[in-house]
Amino acid sequence: MGDPGDGGGGGDCGRAWCLRRVGMSAEWLLLEDRREVTVGRGFGVTYQLLSKICPLMISRNHCVFKQNAEGQWTMMDNKSLNGVWLNKQRLEPLKAYPIQEGDRIQLGVPLENKENAEYEYEVVEEDWEKIHLCLALRNDRPVVKCSRTKRKCSLEELDSPGAEGSSDSRTKVNKVSHDYEQSGKSCGRAEMAQQAPQNMDQKLASPGPSGERAAEDDLHTISEKAVVPPSEEHKGPSLSQSQSSLDMLKKTLAKILKLKVKVQEKQVAVLSIKKQCHKRAQKDVVKLEEELQELQDQLLTEQVQQQQRVEQLEKNFQEKEPHLEHHILMEELSRSKKDFEAIIQAKNKELELTKEEKEKVRAQKEEVLNQMNDVLENELQCIICSEHFIEAVTLNCAHSFCSFCISEWMKRKMECPICRQDIESKTRSLVLDNCISKMVDKLSSEMKERREILISERRAKSLSEDQASCDKCD
């Protein structure tokens, strides 16, 4: 796909390879030379894509872009749920495919009533000055943690060879290690509280089996985080202020859970209305969807405020005494975990009901199609030859037959084979011929060949009879 040193690293000059998002002048994905680029909705990817329309459209680690030994860019589907498409062709999972300039890449599939998918890109090579303002923010930048690094460095310095000769240094090392173990829970609890609303947001936006696994993984991660930096000198607020901050956090978490319950109720109401009276109550559906969007916006606002409060609470915890008990926060986190489990169970039940309804609808459709096929086969067959009508004609008694069959019948009897009424007239039925022609197009090739052979035999027989009658007249 080109020289890997052409400027793909994102410098101030030169050219660079990127994925230009179709129809947008922003959220382009930069392909940096000699660096692996991962895309998904998870937290450990290079570019995080969070769909506002369908949260589960993009998998947590959807696909990977990297250069091969020759410097050409390749892409690989990392076992995504909805697939990766290159020039309208779906890629096989875990297999690298080369990409070139002008290729169209599609992540996921289009939703109902939409022609294109939400995430479609075109591979382009442009000047850095033209694309650097359109690039999306990276998600894999290093984040500076609390003060754990500083504390570790101080321990390493105390363990250095220069400090081995002094017994006082040894005593200080032991004392610092003891303080580190006793006060290590302080900042860690705050980190868990800060990550809790983010995890909640991810679980709400990701219904289904994948979202449930993500919720369980994040809750497990929160419960395991316990190693955090020690506190410095404590000259901050009192214990009562810390208790008030915890109460505020508790109320906010409860408010967020209530909002989530409301969102789920609105979603269930929208689905029920769409199923029962889609045509008659279209206005009600639109109104409920607007209310659902308002609740989601309100929930997002509350989560942003919650994150700010958690950050402030983390600062307060860093200034508290090292032996302060944080059991209140732990209880709150455990209750939140139970609430999440209840939400996951409710979603499982909802998914089971949805699957059952889909199976019922599919069975009904199959039954209707079978009935229609039976009716077509029984009503559009000639009673004389038991074949679909060939050049159908309708008698004066309203019964229909093949033109050849009724002609042969009339040589013996001049009455209808069905109702035994005298035949006074017969009329060509073009409607039946057109209907049968469309129906035959959907039959197998063997049935088509058999019908063509039958038509040719009848025409040949009719021509021979006509010729014989002409010879007799001569």
Side-chain angles (χ1 to χ4, degrees), residues 202-217:
Q202 292 293 327
K203 302 311 161 295
L204 260 187
S206 305
S210 300
E212 296 163 11
R213 291 196 296 271
E216 295 173 357
D217 295 342

Side-chain angles (χ1 to χ4, degrees), residues 129-395:
E129 296 179 354
K130 294 182 180 180
I131 67 172
H132 76 280
L133 295 177
C134 303
L135 296 178
L137 297 177
R138 294 175 63 91
N139 191 50
D140 59 351
R141 299 299 186 190
V143 180
V144 179
K145 299 288 174 98
C146 286
S147 57
R148 175 164 49 181
T149 306
K150 295 181 180 179
R151 178 61 64 186
K152 286 185 176 181
C153 290
S154 62
L155 290 176
E156 291 175 0
E157 292 173 358
L158 289 173
D159 287 337
S160 63
E164 290 179 356
S166 174
S167 61
D168 295 335
S169 299
R170 291 287 185 179
T171 305
K172 290 180 180 179
V173 171
N174 294 333
K175 183 177 180 181
V176 170
S177 300
H178 179 70
D179 293 340
Y180 180 82
E181 295 175 356
Q182 293 296 328
S183 61
K185 299 179 181 179
S186 176
C187 187
R189 299 298 181 265
E191 285 182 2
M192 286 187 283
Q194 182 178 2
Q195 292 175 358
Q198 297 175 357
N199 295 334
M200 280 189 263
D201 193 10
Q202 292 293 327
K203 302 311 161 295
L204 260 187
S206 305
S210 300
E212 296 163 11
R213 291 196 296 271
E216 295 173 357
D217 295 342
D218 293 338
L219 287 172
H220 183 66
T221 305
I222 291 175
S223 63
E224 288 182 350
K225 287 188 178 179
V227 179
V228 288
S231 304
E232 298 181 356
E233 295 182 358
H234 311 286
K235 297 181 181 180
S238 62
L239 182 60
S240 61
Q241 293 176 345
S242 174
Q243 182 66 31
S244 63
S245 299
L246 289 173
D247 293 339
M248 185 180 298
L249 174 63
K250 178 180 178 181
K251 293 178 180 179
T252 308
L253 288 174
K255 189 174 182 180
I256 288 175
L257 291 175
K258 290 181 180 179
L259 286 174
K260 289 179 180 177
V261 173
K262 289 183 180 180
V263 168
Q264 290 180 347
E265 291 176 353
K266 290 295 180 182
Q267 289 175 343
V268 172
V270 169
L271 290 175
S272 63
I273 289 180
K274 283 184 176 180
K275 292 176 182 177
Q276 294 176 0
C277 49
H278 178 72
K279 296 182 179 179
R280 295 177 296 175
Q282 189 68 25
K283 295 182 180 180
D284 295 339
V285 172
V286 173
K287 183 177 179 181
L288 286 173
E289 289 179 346
E290 291 176 354
E291 293 179 359
L292 176 60
Q293 185 64 35
E294 291 178 358
L295 284 174
Q296 290 177 345
D297 295 339
Q298 186 179 358
L299 177 60
L300 180 60
T301 304
E302 290 292 336
Q303 288 175 342
V304 171
Q305 295 177 357
Q306 171 67 11
Q307 184 176 359
Q308 294 175 355
R309 291 172 184 171
V310 169
E311 291 176 356
Q312 184 63 33
L313 185 61
E314 180 184 1
K315 294 179 181 178
N316 294 338
F317 271 117
Q318 291 177 358
E319 298 172 357
K320 299 298 177 182
E321 296 181 358
H323 301 291
L324 180 65
E325 295 293 337
H326 303 293
H327 62 277
I328 298 176
L329 180 60
M330 291 299 297
E331 291 178 357
E332 185 65 31
L333 290 175
S334 64
R335 283 194 293 270
S336 300
K337 182 178 179 180
K338 292 179 180 178
D339 294 336
F340 275 125
E341 291 176 352
I343 292 173
I344 289 172
Q345 293 177 358
K347 288 183 178 179
N348 286 333
K349 293 180 180 179
E350 184 179 351
L351 285 173
E352 291 177 357
L353 293 175
T354 304
K355 290 179 180 178
E356 292 178 358
E357 291 176 356
K358 287 183 178 179
E359 291 178 356
K360 290 180 181 178
V361 171
R362 190 183 299 109
Q364 291 176 357
K365 288 182 178 179
E366 291 179 354
E367 184 178 356
V368 170
L369 290 175
N370 292 332
Q371 291 178 356
M372 290 182 63
N373 290 332
D374 294 340
V375 169
L376 291 174
E377 290 179 358
N378 294 331
E379 296 297 330
L380 298 180
Q381 283 185 351
C382 177
I383 194 173
I384 299 174
C385 62
S386 298
E387 297 287 345
H388 293 295
F389 291 130
I390 299 175
E391 296 181 358
V393 294
T394 303
L395 303 181

